[in-house]
């Protein structure tokens, strides 16, 4: 069995009196690609953000890339827990629907920013690594372009390169292609597929059924703040997955 990269136990989260995550358990092993599907408002984004503590859950425990965090009842983390959270975040990357690039920085500067400010890598080395990563996502020629002059698909590929720069063990993707025109989606999905082929551990919230069918190892279906189904993709897309899943897939 491959090592566990992400494990959540009984993770709960409410916003006001809306219970958004109702005790979620999830496990992702090294090299796995797990796709999360589910209707709008089912808690997919909240789950992803909870896994790297961009959102602090109300309860439960997490173990991500070997870093363990129990959520205390009062949500106050002691010094040791804060250190675990910082380390956990450094081992993961997040790719958002909205790219979140720095508009005043070129593609290359966006990619190397974390290398310089977080990892304290000397500038010339960071530049070399940044150029390699831009080449990997097919954008070597855009190194000096600002986000405003890049297409959505190019922006998202820069964002992926920026995530890769931190050398993550796991990448969380939150609907990375849903802000893109259909013809730009494939170039982003192609980069994601290559990462999967290279053995990257990925948890991907997406409505791209073809990507799920072709690239995922497992599919998780969320609804109403709960994981309603968690199975390998053959079972998920097969006839035995049940009426609700068939209906959901039929609407996509
Ligand atoms: N910061 C917040 N404050 C208050 N409510 C929130 C917040 N973030 C999310 N919610 C609510 O929590 C619920 C789940 O939201 P979430 O964004 O996790 O769903 P989702 O499955 O990602 O949906 P979508 O497919 O539309 O992205 C929604 O009802 C949403 O309105
Ligand atoms: Mg969402």
């Amino acid at each position: 069995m491959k090592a566990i990269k992400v494990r959540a136990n009984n993770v709960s989260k409410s916003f006001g009196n809306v219970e958004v995550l109702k005790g979620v358990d999830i496990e992702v092993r090294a090299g796995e690609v797990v796709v999360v599907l589910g209707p709008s408002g089912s808690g997919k984004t909240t789950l992803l953000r909870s896994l790297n503590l961009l959102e602090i859950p109300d309860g439960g425990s997490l173990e991500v890339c070997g870093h363990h965090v129990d959520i205390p009842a009062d949500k106050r983390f002691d010094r040791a827990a804060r250190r675990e959270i910082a380390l956990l975040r450094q081992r993961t990357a997040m790719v958002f629907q909205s790219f979140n690039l720095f508009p005043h920085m070129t593609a290359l500067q966006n990619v190397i920013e974390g290398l310089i400010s977080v990892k304290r890598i000397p500038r010339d080395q960071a530049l070399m690594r940044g150029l390699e990563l831009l080449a990997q996502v097919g954008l070597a020629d855009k190194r000096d372009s600002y986000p405003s002059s890049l297409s959505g698909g190019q922006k998202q590929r820069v964002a992926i390169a920026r995530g890769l720069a931190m050398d993550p063990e796991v990448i969380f993707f939150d609907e990375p292609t849903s802000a893109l025109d259909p013809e730009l989606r494939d170039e982003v999905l192609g980069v994601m597929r290559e990462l999967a082929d290279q053995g990257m551990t990925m948890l991907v919230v997406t409505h791209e059924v073809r990507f799920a069918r072709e690239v995922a190892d497992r599919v998780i279906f969320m609804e109403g703040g709960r994981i309603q189904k968690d199975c390998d993709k053959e079972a998920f897309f097969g006839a035995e997955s049940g009426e609700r899943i068939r209906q959901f897939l039929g609407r996509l």
Side-chain angles (χ1 to χ4, degrees):
M1 267 296 210
K2 293 264 180 66
I4 288 174
K5 287 288 176 190
V6 178
R7 174 187 274 150
N9 287 116
N10 202 23
V11 168
S12 59
K13 176 72 184 174
S14 297
F15 292 110
N17 51 15
V18 184
E19 215 183 340
V20 176
L21 299 179
K22 300 175 182 169
V24 171
D25 295 317
I26 187 172
E27 209 173 86
V28 184
R29 289 182 182 269
E32 261 189 323
V33 177
V34 178
V35 163
V36 180
L37 293 172
S40 184
S42 55
K44 306 180 300 293
T45 294
T46 307
L47 173 61
L48 274 198
R49 291 173 55 86
S50 295
L51 292 176
N52 66 357
L53 295 134
L54 278 178
E55 200 73 73
I56 305 297
D58 298 330
S61 64
L62 300 172
E63 186 170 327
V64 181
C65 304
H67 298 288
H68 187 96
V69 180
D70 285 314
I71 311 299
D74 62 1
K75 296 220 247 174
R76 281 168 196 251
F77 294 105
D78 61 18
R79 209 191 155 95
R82 286 202 300 273
R83 169 114 186 111
E84 281 292 277
I85 292 171
L87 291 170
L88 177 163
R89 285 193 182 132
Q90 282 184 24
R91 304 311 310 134
T92 66
M94 183 116 181
V95 175
F96 303 90
Q97 180 175 349
S98 52
F99 324 128
N100 295 10
L101 296 178
F102 295 114
H104 60 289
M105 291 184 184
T106 65
L108 183 56
Q109 286 166 341
N110 265 283
V111 173
I112 68 173
E113 159 62 23
L115 286 177
I116 291 171
S117 70
V118 181
K119 293 216 163 179
R120 310 260 168 221
I121 287 175
R123 191 171 176 80
D124 53 340
Q125 278 177 37
L127 284 169
M128 259 172 19
R129 180 72 182 128
L131 284 173
E132 267 173 33
L133 288 163
L134 280 177
Q136 185 179 338
V137 299
L139 291 175
D141 57 331
K142 297 291 182 188
R143 52 175 286 174
D144 297 322
S145 299
Y146 286 87
S148 58
S149 65
L150 297 174
S151 72
Q154 290 168 341
K155 279 188 255 203
Q156 192 60 297
R157 286 186 282 152
V158 173
I160 292 172
R162 181 183 56 181
L164 290 172
M166 302 308 284
D167 210 9
E169 291 177 41
V170 178
I171 309 183
F172 300 117
F173 292 88
D174 191 6
E175 301 203 36
T177 58
S178 27
L180 303 177
D181 292 335
E183 61 270 26
L184 297 180
R185 289 182 185 162
D186 282 346
E187 64 189 49
V188 172
L189 292 169
V191 167
M192 291 169 63
R193 187 184 293 252
E194 277 171 25
L195 287 175
D197 289 344
Q198 291 161 15
M200 180 60 78
T201 309
M202 296 161 58
L203 186 60
V204 185
V205 174
T206 185
H207 297 295
E208 304 276 359
V209 171
R210 195 161 66 105
F211 179 83
R213 278 181 191 278
E214 292 174 5
V215 184
D217 297 297
R218 249 164 60 222
V219 181
I220 286 174
F221 181 70
M222 275 192 87
E223 187 156 48
R226 289 204 169 86
I227 290 179
Q228 307 287 0
K229 194 148 196 101
D230 180 347
C231 59
D232 62 35
K233 71 171 166 205
E234 286 75 17
F236 189 86
F237 291 109
E240 69 276 31
S241 67
E243 182 52 30
R244 176 67 191 112
I245 306 286
R246 258 203 310 284
Q247 184 194 37
F248 176 80
L249 291 174
R251 275 203 221 122
L252 284 183

